[in-house]
Amino acid sequence: MSTFIRTLIEQEVLHRRRFLLAGAAGLGAMAVPGVFGKGRAMAATNDPALAWSYRDRATAYWNSVVSGGEAFAESLGKPKSALVNLINEGSSEKSLSDLKSFLAKTGGNCAIACDANDSPNARPVVEAVKAANAYVSTMWNKTDDLHPWDFGDNYVCHMTWSDVKPAEDTARILFEAMGGKGGVVHLGGIAANNPAIERLQGLKNALADFPEIELLDAQPADWDTTKAAALMSSYLTRYGDRITGVHCASDQMAYGVIEALLAEGIDDMPIVSYDGNPEAVKLVQDGKLLATVYTNPYWGGGILTSLAYHAAIGTFKPSEEPNEHREFYGPTVLITQEDAAEFSAKYIDAVPDYDWNDFWGPTNGQIQYN
């Protein structure tokens, strides 16, 4: 492990500690019950178990997602440990198996937030939840033909992010820094992941306006820092000086890219990434990354837990909500060196307080399909 990557990991650990301590300090404010919107009535007839099903907590992104879920649990007066972590380690089979075990253990009296790991796995996940008469909100990955309104109230909602335009924006920033010409390589996420597909499409959309820039290669690195470092090394071996810019589908992979470049003595390559993790924002401030995109994973993790929970206790009936409340885009913020310090002060140095009963406040409209 290089010194660069080791330092980033240590920074992530320190940030997680500060984040959790700040969350504990703000618990009093976050535990105040919010005001329910028009037409909603509190109907807490049971106490469903809470769970988040996701890949791992080793990254700043997923730590932030689950920290949001824990903050929601604390807003109910529960301990953080009331939120069960179902960690699938990147395996769709484990994701489904763990979820079925949780459903059996709770007798279906549960509320689950879930990233199904890849799009095809979302359907068996939802079908298992429906069969158990439990409640689930999903994030990021599902197939286009799978819709919450086809499963009554049990499939509460799906939230993803419209990644095409933000990824196109970062690509344009990259191409301008490259002087409008040269060769670019792309490092993508898991091939079947919706965000990986959309972020690559954003890059391709921007390429249409830059005829003197060539996409040399685009391969998946599975959202993984180590795999990204190896892939970038192979790109350098194959394309050498023809590479004049790098488009990364996540911050975690950008760390690996920087490691591989530093190993070759390259410290001035234009790079853009995605996710807005604290370490990446610092790299933007320092000029090591041109831009990243923040999706507010903390809010997303908390609000999806809240939606599943409130559907389970009868605060609202998902089947009575409009489609834009059942499939919707989360918020995105483009971060460049110009505004990175301001962003950091608002979202990283402090933990924002959110009303977990304002279910659709920061959302960006109904999901659109091609």
Side-chain angles (χ1 to χ4, degrees), residues 82-243:
L83 181 73
V84 176
N85 289 252
L86 302 176
I87 300 176
N88 63 48
E89 300 171 349
S91 167
S92 296
E93 292 77 11
K94 188 175 189 302
S95 168
L96 182 58
S97 175
D98 288 352
L99 185 137
K100 286 182 175 179
S101 295
F102 183 72
L103 291 169
K105 182 177 181 180
T106 60
N109 184 24
C110 58
I112 302 166
C114 173
D115 173 15
N117 186 61
D118 63 23
S119 299
N121 191 46
R123 183 172 292 277
V125 163
V126 170
E127 288 174 346
V129 170
K130 173 71 173 178
N133 197 30
Y135 296 83
V136 65
S137 301
T138 58
M139 174 189 273
W140 283 122
N141 290 297
K142 77 171 187 64
T143 54
D144 291 354
D145 62 345
L146 180 69
H147 301 292
W149 47 82
D150 292 331
F151 292 83
D153 294 318
N154 300 103
Y155 188 2
V156 180
C157 64
H158 176 75
M159 177 165 63
T160 189
W161 282 259
S162 183
D163 285 343
V164 175
K165 181 61 166 59
E168 180 179 334
D169 290 341
T170 63
R172 292 181 183 279
I173 290 170
L174 175 65
F175 297 163
E176 293 291 347
M178 293 166 58
K181 60 184 178 181
V184 64
V185 292
H186 172 80
L187 291 89
I190 296 171
N193 281 181
N194 289 349
I197 296 167
E198 291 192 352
R199 293 172 194 182
L200 177 57
Q201 185 60 52
L203 169 65
K204 292 178 177 178
N205 288 356
L207 281 167
D209 292 333
F210 290 82
E212 294 187 66
I213 290 182
E214 178 185 3
L215 177 58
L216 299 171
D217 214 332
Q219 301 291 336
D222 298 345
W223 311 116
D224 185 83
T225 299
T226 302
K227 290 181 180 179
L231 178 57
M232 189 65 209
S233 293
S234 72
Y235 280 163
L236 290 168
T237 299
R238 182 173 182 180
Y239 300 106
D241 293 342
R242 292 173 64 192
I243 302 173

Side-chain angles (χ1 to χ4, degrees), residues 334-358:
L334 178 67
I335 306 164
T336 64
Q337 191 171 34
E338 181 180 359
D339 50 34
E342 180 182 354
F343 172 88
S344 184
K346 182 176 181 180
Y347 289 101
I348 297 175
D349 299 336
V351 180
D353 288 339
Y354 293 105
D355 177 1
W356 299 120
N357 299 317
D358 181 14

Side-chain angles (χ1 to χ4, degrees), residues 20 22 56 68 85 90 143 146 150 189 206 271 273 287 325:
L20 294 172
D56 64 64
N85 289 252
T143 54
L146 180 69
D150 292 331
I271 307 167
S273 64
H325 285 175

